[in-house]
């Protein structure tokens, strides 16, 4: 699944990527002007008209003795979509694991387990208040789709230069983070205490 998405974003198959990109953009642009109920109903109606027309066409060919009248979608109807008990259990475990991981992250940020991380999240939300004043969520989603289908391709074409710039930015952010941690009262003591506790646990084990 991951490789298929990567091939789609890297435009390995230009036709498939173009169809998916165009479909997503048309759908999102329609949502800018119409309600999601209206867009969903029109898309579903368009799909039904296409599939029903093809099914009737096959029946007409059968009537004039130019076909067997078989359902053109029979291959898809024959696909077994049921999940075994093991697959259901595995899927449930994956969902539960993701939910627990998300809950741990939210607790880490909102209950201020690490002051610097919570401050960074607060800064991010503060910046988003200004972004939200300029763009709505749908506009950001459109920009995100455009970025998904352009940034990976640009990165592959200019990987060396972009890696160099990303490395420089990462180093600068690490230095700034270290300076902030050093200026926060008690952060060094908390880190030392955490290291001591982890060390004592390791010795006990």
């Amino acid at each position: 699944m991951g490789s298929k998405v990567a091939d789609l974003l890297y435009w390995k198959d230009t036709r498939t990527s173009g169809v998916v990109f165009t479909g997503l953009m048309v759908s999102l642009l329609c949502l800018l002007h119409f309600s999601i109920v209206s867009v969903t109903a029109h898309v579903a109606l368009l799909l039904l008209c296409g599939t029903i027309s093809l099914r009737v066409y096959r029946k007409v060919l059968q009537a004039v003795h130019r076909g067997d009248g078989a359902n053109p979608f029979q291959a898809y109807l024959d696909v077994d979509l049921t999940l075994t008990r093991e697959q259901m259990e595995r899927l449930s475990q994956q969902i539960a694991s993701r939910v627990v991981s998300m809950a741990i992250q939210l607790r880490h940020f909102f209950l201020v387990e690490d002051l610097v991380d919570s401050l960074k999240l607060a800064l991010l939300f503060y910046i988003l208040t200004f972004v939200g004043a300029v763009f709505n969520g749908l506009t950001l989603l459109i920009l995100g789709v455009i970025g998904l289908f352009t940034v990976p391709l640009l990165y592959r074409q200019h990987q060396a230069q972009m890696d160099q710039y990303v490395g420089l930015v990462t180093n600068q952010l690490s230095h700034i983070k270290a300076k902030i941690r050093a200026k926060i009262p008690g952060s060094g003591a908390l880190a030392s205490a955490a290291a001591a506790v982890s060390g004592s646990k390791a010795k006990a084990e």
Side-chain angles (χ1 to χ4, degrees):
M1 183 65 179
S3 61
K4 291 182 179 180
V5 174
D7 292 344
L8 197 66
L9 298 180
Y10 281 112
W11 295 77
K12 294 291 183 65
D13 186 347
T14 306
R15 181 179 178 181
T16 303
S17 297
V19 169
V20 173
F21 178 69
T22 303
L24 286 173
M25 290 302 299
V26 169
S27 301
L28 292 174
L29 290 173
C30 288
L31 288 174
L32 280 176
H33 302 284
F34 307 101
S35 70
I36 187 171
V37 175
S38 177
V39 172
T40 303
H42 279 86
V43 170
L45 184 61
L46 182 63
L47 287 174
L48 278 172
C49 288
T51 54
I52 291 172
S53 298
L54 188 55
R55 186 78 170 92
V56 171
Y57 175 71
R58 286 292 184 91
K59 285 293 184 182
V60 171
L61 288 180
Q62 183 185 19
V64 297
H65 306 291
R66 292 187 179 181
D68 55 2
N71 191 330
F73 310 106
Q74 191 61 47
Y76 301 101
L77 292 172
D78 292 336
V79 174
D80 187 12
L81 298 179
T82 58
L83 297 177
T84 63
R85 183 174 180 179
E86 291 76 13
Q87 291 173 329
M88 288 291 295
E89 290 178 353
R90 192 183 310 116
L91 183 61
S92 300
Q93 290 176 356
Q94 291 176 353
I95 294 174
S97 177
R98 291 179 182 273
V99 171
V100 171
S101 177
M102 186 180 300
I104 291 173
Q105 288 295 324
L106 291 174
R107 182 183 65 181
H108 171 79
F109 287 116
F110 286 96
L111 298 184
V112 199
E113 184 177 1
D114 188 311
L115 183 58
V116 174
D117 288 343
S118 297
L119 287 174
K120 289 192 294 186
L121 185 64
L123 178 61
L124 174 63
F125 282 126
Y126 181 69
I127 294 173
L128 287 178
T129 59
F130 292 99
V131 175
V134 180
F135 304 103
N136 59 27
L138 198 55
T139 304
L140 291 176
L141 188 58
I142 292 173
L143 295 176
V145 170
I146 295 174
L148 279 176
F149 280 87
T150 55
V151 172
L153 189 61
L154 292 175
Y155 176 75
R156 188 176 63 176
Q157 294 174 348
H158 308 283
Q159 184 173 358
Q161 297 91 330
M162 294 182 72
D163 284 343
Q164 181 180 1
Y165 293 134
V166 169
L168 292 173
V169 173
T170 302
N171 290 333
Q172 290 296 325
L173 290 176
S174 299
H175 289 312
I176 294 173
K177 185 177 179 179
K179 290 180 180 179
I180 293 175
R181 286 183 180 276
K183 292 182 180 181
I184 294 177
S187 61
L190 287 173
S192 301
V197 171
S198 62
S200 62
K201 286 184 178 180
K203 290 180 180 179
E205 293 176 354

